[in-house]
Amino acid sequence: MEGVPPGYWQDQRGALVPEAKVKDIDKLRHQVVTDLCQMAKASSAALSKFKLDAMQEVAALVSTSMEQYGVKSGGNKGNITLVSFDGKYKLVRQMQDHIVFGEQLMAAKELIDECVQEWSEGANDNIRVLVSHAFQTDREGKINTGRVLALRRLAIKDEKWQQAMQAIADSMQTASTKPYIRFYERMEATGEYRPISLDVAAV
């Protein structure tokens, strides 16, 4: 243990305990947990490097392929699926955007509230529920993106509603993009692709 005087062990509260007072089973538990967690950290670092290397390899392949058609691109954008020549392996790269809403969303909510008030007598109850749920926030005060975007799929011709939908569109901003890469192997018996798991809980 770093920073601990010889002959002592440091417990969870930071107190120093004479080594002679530490039970053998506690020493064994400490050793097993520490060793496995350090191995897990090393595996995690190796997995992070593998992901970075894999993303770079895929980007390089996409770039090379596009150059054959006179198109120059970094190859880092877009969702793609790549399959080995024999069809045994497949990988999927996905770029998932994290969408946030700007201040225009407040205008959209006001317009939508006005629509609901004007439709008070003939409004569809299902639409009322969708509207009321769309702007509910979670514990962190964030609005559910999926619920808000679901409003844009409603076929409502009302002019004020259309203004609200445009305000929602104008408020949408891509805050970040997270890359994902997944690997698959085809099962000979069924021909289906089964994920190659990189999650220790699923192995």
Side-chain angles (χ1 to χ4, degrees), residues 78-98:
N79 299 335
I80 58 170
T81 298
L82 302 175
V83 182
S84 63
F85 187 78
D86 60 4
K88 183 174 182 179
Y89 297 108
K90 177 179 75 172
L91 68 82
V92 177
R93 183 191 71 183
Q94 294 176 304
M95 310 298 284
Q96 183 173 332
D97 292 336
H98 174 58

Side-chain angles (χ1 to χ4, degrees), residues 54-75:
M55 296 296 288
Q56 291 175 340
E57 288 282 347
V58 170
L61 172 64
V62 173
S63 181
T64 300
S65 182
M66 294 180 71
E67 286 175 359
Q68 293 183 0
Y69 299 94
V71 178
K72 292 187 177 180
S73 171

Side-chain angles (χ1 to χ4, degrees), residues 10-165:
Q10 189 175 55
D11 66 14
Q12 298 178 36
R13 297 184 298 273
L16 295 177
V17 179
E19 184 174 356
K21 297 291 184 180
V22 181
K23 298 178 180 178
D24 288 341
I25 189 62
D26 291 338
K27 293 180 180 179
L28 178 61
R29 183 187 305 109
H30 170 81
Q31 192 64 50
V32 169
V33 172
T34 299
D35 288 350
L36 290 177
C37 284
Q38 289 178 346
M39 290 169 63
K41 287 175 63 178
S43 297
S44 178
L47 195 57
S48 294
K49 183 180 184 304
F50 168 70
K51 179 181 178 181
L52 178 61
D53 291 344
M55 296 296 288
Q56 291 175 340
E57 288 282 347
V58 170
L61 172 64
V62 173
S63 181
T64 300
S65 182
M66 294 180 71
E67 286 175 359
Q68 293 183 0
Y69 299 94
V71 178
K72 292 187 177 180
S73 171
N76 292 315
K77 297 182 179 180
N79 299 335
I80 58 170
T81 298
L82 302 175
V83 182
S84 63
F85 187 78
D86 60 4
K88 183 174 182 179
Y89 297 108
K90 177 179 75 172
L91 68 82
V92 177
R93 183 191 71 183
Q94 294 176 304
M95 310 298 284
Q96 183 173 332
D97 292 336
H98 174 58
I99 296 174
V100 296
F101 297 103
E103 74 284 354
Q104 298 95 329
L105 190 65
M106 297 174 64
K109 185 177 186 307
E110 290 297 325
L111 289 168
I112 291 172
D113 286 343
E114 290 177 17
C115 288
V116 173
Q117 290 297 324
E118 292 173 5
W119 303 339
S120 57
E121 293 185 2
N124 184 299
D125 288 341
N126 292 330
I127 293 179
R128 285 176 173 276
V129 172
L130 283 173
V131 170
S132 63
H133 285 183
F135 294 97
Q136 288 181 353
T137 57
D138 59 18
R139 293 179 180 177
E140 298 178 355
K142 296 180 180 178
I143 289 177
N144 185 293
T145 304
R147 290 176 182 171
V148 173
L149 296 183
L151 296 177
R152 301 183 65 206
R153 293 193 289 269
L154 297 176
I156 298 175
K157 302 298 184 182
D158 185 281
E159 183 177 350
K160 189 173 291 185
W161 178 271
Q162 291 299 321
Q163 287 180 325
M165 296 305 100

